[in-house]
Amino acid sequence: MQKNYEYDAVVVGSGPNGLACAIQLQRSGLSVLLIEGSEQIGGGMRSKEFFPGYLSDVCSAIHPMAAGSPFFSQLPLTDYGLEYINPPVLAAHPFDNGTSASLKSSLYETANGLGIDKGDYLDLMQPIVENWPKLAEDILGPFKIPKELIASLQFGLSAMKSAKWLSNRFKTEEAKALFAGMAAHSFLPLDQLSTAAVGLVLMANGHLKGWPLPKGGSQAIANALLSYFESLGGKVQMGWMVRSYGEIPPAKAVIFDTGPKQLIEIAGDHLPSIYKKKASEVSLRPRRI
Amino acid sequence: MLAQQSLFDADRVPKGKQVLWGYCHVPNGSTVDMTNAVEQQIERFAPGFRDTIIDRHIINTAQFEAYNPNYIGGDINGGVLDLAQLYSRPILSVSPYRTPANGIYICSASTPPGGGVHGMCGFHAANAVLKDIK
């Protein structure tokens, strides 16, 4: 039974993942409608003038993961207005005595700034920086047996550890603090297993693609993604906050760039109760592991 | 954590002015005003900072959730990304993007590899859709 749909796929929500999903489907030959609840696309990439003439990012601001994204890197976003600016120092951690530890694009410059921890920093980061481009797509995805098994295991052995444990390899407060600041992006207590992973990935991306800010604010990433999506023939509808599944134009696939809570509120009638129970149990608070 | 984007992207601000963007971590759902703590920490390393402030815009976790309903309790990552939940959000599955309902998928930061502006959740979800309907 082949139904005729106006769209092959509808994506609800225009955050980075909604836009990525819509683009990947549209460029694979499907017809896609992207629905956004607010009047501004981008989700966590929105920028706003809270005071006239002063543009501020509202959520995300600095973009090592966007610049290093295996998917976004495939897209011609510079043709659609995206320009990354990389400051000479990517990140710095200040100390009371007026010194600081800093992450620079160059692996060696960063290591050189860490005094007696130079060798340890290079030993830790060099293999990750070298292997990351071939690991990224596997690691930044659902669980599966990685294609690059040895390199993945090597990364995993460091990444699995707690940031606190891993930073014990360093002797200086500078190196420990720099790594702790990176790992804090996990939003977890730093003595918890796997918190090292976030720090390692952010630092490796810094050495590969920098920690850039988009010219014109994070919104510029969203705008470039949307322009590219529309150039492929994709359709977008803003200011439509979807409340029920029945509002969504029938399609072969409906993809929610929302939390499980909104998915259940909107499409709960179609989902088995065991799924709703499991998905709504996603923990919001750090637990002891 | 602080960023001063306008130092490198001058078009964001009037000439001679700056925007300072920053955040700190608080427990999920906390609405304790952290403004003073944040400004004190900046003063510690940049004395005199406070005297330069023209105005502030402050967003707490509740306001953040109102701004973006995906941020439950202010959580921009769509749920804790610890070892137990790294691959198991929203449920433990080899294809966490599929739901049990035919044709309904999820691609947000609440799926692997989690929060951050990289689009990889959306990319993998789209590939799951393509496998199913092509």
Side-chain angles (χ1 to χ4, degrees), chain A residues 199-273:
Chain A
L200 293 173
V201 170
L202 287 175
M203 285 167 114
N205 267 307
H207 293 316
L208 289 162
K209 296 284 179 84
W211 275 36
L213 52 113
K215 188 170 171 52
S218 293
Q219 187 72 49
I221 304 179
N223 292 350
L225 288 167
L226 181 68
S227 299
Y228 176 57
F229 172 64
E230 290 185 309
S231 81
L232 297 170
K235 298 280 180 278
V236 63
Q237 178 78 57
M238 282 181 266
W240 177 1
M241 185 62 90
V242 173
R243 303 283 178 199
S244 71
Y245 199 74
E247 294 172 37
I248 301 170
K252 293 176 196 164
V254 178
I255 307 99
F256 289 85
D257 182 17
T258 70
K261 181 173 177 253
Q262 290 76 27
L263 168 69
I264 291 165
E265 280 169 6
I266 297 167
D269 291 349
H270 300 266
L271 297 167
S273 52

Side-chain angles (χ1 to χ4, degrees), chain B residues 80-96:
Chain B
V80 165
L81 199 63
D82 59 17
L83 198 54
Q85 287 195 158
L86 189 55
Y87 292 113
S88 68
R89 300 175 316 153
I91 58 158
L92 184 60
S93 161
V94 285
S95 181

